[in-house]
Amino acid sequence: MKIDWKRKLSSRKFWAAVSGVVISAMVAFNANAESQEKVAGVITATGTLAIYMLAESSTDKAALNSDENTEEK
């Protein structure tokens, strides 16, 4: 079974899970609250950027396909 990474990386649930695992590991290793907040912020920002990039690429692809279909007619 092939993993659809594009779909996974654009999932808010995936990024929430990543954040949860990383923060849990930080708690286990006694990282302070300030560090945990910073890491959660970085993970959230990374997830937001990944979702934006994938959405834009899908939009660009759809526009390109629309232009190609218009030219063929």
Side-chain angles (χ1 to χ4, degrees):
M1 183 173 170
K2 187 176 179 181
I3 297 174
D4 185 0
W5 284 106
K6 184 176 180 180
R7 185 173 175 201
K8 287 232 185 269
L9 291 174
S10 65
S11 167
R12 290 175 290 171
K13 292 177 187 175
F14 172 77
W15 289 105
V18 168
S19 181
V21 169
V22 171
I23 297 302
S24 296
M26 291 180 76
V27 169
F29 291 106
N30 296 320
N32 63 31
E34 184 178 338
S35 295
Q36 292 173 26
E37 290 173 4
K38 287 180 182 179
V39 169
V42 169
I43 292 171
T44 302
T46 303
T48 302
L49 180 61
I51 292 167
Y52 174 78
M53 289 171 36
L54 293 169
E56 283 298 308
S57 69
S58 294
T59 302
D60 292 345
K61 183 177 179 181
L64 182 63
N65 288 339
S66 177
D67 289 344
E68 288 176 358
N69 289 337
T70 304
E71 290 175 2
E72 291 176 5
K73 291 181 180 181

